[in-house]
Amino acid sequence: YRRENTLKVCGDGLQVRDYVHVDDLVEAITLSKDWSFGEYSLGSGKGVTVLELAQATGKPYIHVESVKEQREAVIPNTSIGWSPKINVLEYVKN
């Protein structure tokens, strides 16, 4: 989407998601080799609306129809000694 001039926001854009930058996820996966065996969630625990993300890019956007989807998906961070460092809203502004 970084190359497109106009972004498409599905529905009203008020769907809440937990965005974590891939660099943060790679760091967590690398560190996880030293964690005890188990299941971990690698979310930030912070919700951002699709609309906020689109607006942060500074690009024009349009609303398009979408199928009904889950309104909120925020994932807690249950890892050991790791948390995301990159603020995705700030990242897309660059």
Side-chain angles (χ1 to χ4, degrees):
Y1 288 105
R2 288 180 79 102
R3 293 185 191 129
E4 290 186 25
N5 292 329
T6 301
L7 302 175
K8 295 175 186 170
V9 174
C10 294
D12 60 11
L14 299 179
Q15 307 89 332
V16 177
R17 299 290 178 264
D18 187 343
Y19 297 99
V20 178
H21 193 278
V22 67
D23 289 350
D24 282 330
L25 293 173
V26 168
E27 178 190 23
I29 292 167
T30 302
L31 292 172
S32 71
K33 68 180 177 20
D34 297 326
W35 299 345
S36 60
F37 183 79
E39 186 176 302
Y40 299 95
S41 297
L42 300 177
S44 70
K46 299 174 188 168
V48 174
T49 67
V50 173
L51 192 56
E52 287 175 304
L53 189 63
Q55 291 170 338
T57 68
K59 293 182 179 185
Y61 58 89
I62 59 171
H63 291 272
V64 296
E65 249 186 83
S66 71
V67 296
K68 186 175 179 177
E69 60 181 80
Q70 186 176 350
R71 213 54 185 158
E72 185 170 321
V74 178
I75 301 168
N77 178 7
T78 61
S79 66
I80 300 171
W82 172 85
S83 63
K85 294 180 181 79
I86 298 171
N87 179 312
V88 175
L89 284 177
E90 293 299 319
Y91 179 81
V92 298
K93 290 179 182 179
N94 296 323

